[in-house]
Amino acid sequence: QVHLVESGGGLVQPGGSLRLSCAAPRNISSISINSMGWYRQAPGEERRLIARILNTGSTYYIDSVKGRFTLSRDRAKNTMYLQMDSLKAEDTGVYFCTAEIWTTGRLADYWGQGTQVIVSL
């Protein structure tokens, strides 16, 4: 079951840019979203957290994407964006968005369907 809707993936050359988006269902209040983030599953590797934005606006990035990737969130649209600049071949992978959502006093994880990012000549 897909809870979050992703878009924005594609094929780009090294040094190029992409912007991924991740939209939560409209019936979920933005207030209920504790955090949103992006995982990446590179070929032959396990899925790992790349970046996360908290409800406070604080962001976390793994070292390899710092200065190149930027998270933002539009609370009115229940949408998170990942601006990816200066893309490298090692950024290639399937990107999955995730959200922590409060439900009856408990955090529950929601996931997107994944969007493919290929950085190649």
Side-chain angles (χ1 to χ4, degrees), residues 9-115:
L11 173 64
V12 296
Q13 295 182 341
S17 297
L18 286 173
R19 189 177 75 157
L20 307 183
S21 65
C22 173
R26 292 287 300 275
N27 62 356
I28 296 179
S29 172
S30 62
I31 304 298
S32 299
I33 302 177
N34 185 64
S35 70
M36 301 185 76
W38 291 92
Y39 283 73
R40 179 175 67 211
Q41 187 158 16
E45 299 182 5
E46 295 184 348
R47 188 180 303 181
R48 67 172 299 184
L49 180 67
I50 300 300
R52 189 164 83 119
I53 184 167
L54 306 180
N55 58 0
T56 61
S58 298
T59 54
Y60 162 82
Y61 305 91
I62 60 170
D63 288 342
S64 62
V65 307
K66 287 181 179 177
R68 300 189 298 116
F69 290 12
T70 304
L71 279 174
S72 63
R73 182 180 171 189
D74 186 337
R75 292 182 177 270
K77 295 182 178 180
N78 268 6
T79 300
M80 171 184 63
Y81 303 95
L82 181 65
Q83 178 66 43
M84 304 186 295
D85 298 318
S86 302
L87 283 162
K88 304 175 180 179
E90 52 262 41
D91 297 320
T92 293
V94 179
Y95 286 71
F96 298 88
C97 68
T98 186
E100 294 180 318
I101 301 177
W102 289 105
T103 55
T104 62
R106 175 189 174 92
L107 282 175
D109 294 329
Y110 287 69
W111 291 88
Q113 80 281 8
T115 185

